[in-house]
Amino acid sequence: MDAIDIDDFVRAAAGGALRRLTAVDGAHWFPLVDVARRLGYAGPREALRTVTLPVWCLAPARELAPDAEILARSGIRGTARMVSLAGLVQLVTACRSPEAGPFRAWVGELVAEVQRHGGYGLEPAPAHGGFVLPPELVDVLVRLEGRFDEEEADLAEYAELLRETRRSLSRVADSLERSFAVPRQRGAGGAPTLSAQELVESWEISGDMRAVASFLAPALIRGGVRCRPQDVTRRTGLSGDRVRDCVRLLIERGCMREVGHPRPDGTRIYVLP
């Protein structure tokens, strides 16, 4: 799962949408000709003369998506030369387009943060618990969808509406989950062996500490969480002082550790030990 929606990232970097292929490993690739055109290069050759990309940033589309059907859906030819997300970022930072100025500034901030604190986290996006529907309601939608499928054809549009509702709920849930996540750093290890609930259970805690731990655990198993005490307060209902006490105790017990230094707004980054 991407920590930042790839379409949002590309719009911020290139100033607009780009066709893309997502490889089986989850990596995103873009037609070099599209990237060159969007960034104001005369063509792919000028782009590659301007930036000497490493070989691992370039690949033909047919190597990324051997299935011809996937290529057909994307509208990208198998012979098209593709550039990876890392290559796209290098091409953006080298172009002189004014529209790329904010993104270049953000890349500079990112590098400075990594050098100083050893990592870079995402600011928590505004979130509201009311957007997350309980599983019971989702189950009702599934059952209704099945009933509509069995009725007359004039109910087909309602069935499709329910399907789109389910898809929208799934996207909202994923977005809320990503809002409090810090991207896992490359080389930080494999997939977590424990679920968030199993992790909290392994800590053998209860009461307020468990409430705080349950909020932090889903992001911790994905690599880390970046938040302020008021973010936890809003989701748990505990006071700011109580949240700080619980976090301190979790750190003292070795359940997690803090990375880097607090931001002026009180934001801190926590990861598993």
Side-chain angles (χ1 to χ4, degrees):
M1 180 187 299
D2 292 332
I4 305 176
D5 181 84
I6 184 59
D7 293 326
D8 292 343
F9 188 91
V10 169
R11 289 190 192 97
L18 293 171
R19 292 182 297 167
R20 65 177 166 87
L21 281 177
T22 301
V24 292
D25 63 354
H28 303 293
W29 295 76
F30 311 88
L32 181 57
V33 63
D34 290 6
V35 174
R37 184 184 303 114
R38 169 63 64 181
L39 297 180
Y41 293 104
R45 290 183 180 179
E46 184 194 355
L48 294 181
R49 281 198 300 267
T50 303
V51 181
T52 303
L53 295 176
V55 294
W56 53 267
C57 285
L58 298 167
R62 60 173 171 267
E63 291 185 4
L64 303 172
D67 190 336
E69 184 179 345
I70 296 177
L71 288 174
R73 287 199 302 267
S74 68
I76 300 173
R77 294 182 178 181
T79 56
R81 200 171 193 185
M82 308 293 289
V83 61
S84 67
L85 183 59
L88 169 64
V89 170
Q90 293 182 58
L91 290 170
V92 172
T93 54
C95 82
R96 301 275 67 85
S97 170
E99 290 78 11
F103 183 80
R104 290 197 297 267
W106 177 74
V107 171
E109 176 191 345
L110 184 151
V111 173
E113 286 284 308
V114 171
Q115 184 278 321
R116 183 178 180 187
H117 302 301
Y120 185 87
L122 300 176
E123 292 291 349
H128 191 284
F131 287 113
V132 182
L133 272 70
E136 292 80 7
L137 181 52
V138 177
D139 290 341
V140 171
L141 290 173
V142 173
R143 289 197 297 273
L144 285 174
E145 178 186 321
R147 287 182 55 191
F148 282 138
D149 285 341
E150 297 171 358
E151 297 292 340
E152 291 82 2
D154 60 351
L155 294 177
E157 60 179 293
Y158 296 102
E160 181 57 34
L161 178 60
L162 284 171
R163 294 189 187 98
E164 180 57 34
T165 300
R166 287 177 58 203
R167 289 192 289 266
S168 297
L169 291 174
S170 178
R171 288 194 294 269
V172 169
D174 288 345
S175 177
L176 290 172
E177 188 177 34
R178 290 196 302 266
S179 297
F180 295 94
V182 174
R184 181 182 294 278
Q185 297 182 19
R186 191 178 297 272
T193 57
L194 296 177
S195 67
Q197 182 176 354
E198 290 170 338
L199 178 65
V200 175
E201 293 290 346
S202 71
W203 289 341
E204 299 181 352
I205 55 178
S206 59
D208 292 347
M209 282 183 64
R210 188 182 182 89
V212 173
S214 297
F215 170 76
L216 299 175
L220 284 171
I221 64 173
R222 294 195 306 274
V225 60
R226 177 174 184 155
C227 65
R228 301 166 299 174
Q230 52 264 44
D231 297 325
V232 188
T233 294
R234 186 169 59 249
R235 297 293 292 272
T236 63
L238 300 174
S239 68
D241 288 339
R242 185 55 185 155
V243 167
R244 280 186 283 270
D245 288 339
C246 291
V247 168
R248 175 178 55 79
L249 289 172
L250 287 171
I251 293 174
E252 290 177 356
R253 286 182 172 220
C255 301
M256 63 184 189
R257 62 186 175 87
E258 185 175 351
V259 176
H261 304 284
R263 297 286 295 273
D265 63 353
T267 299
R268 297 171 182 267
I269 299 176
Y270 304 107
V271 298
L272 293 175

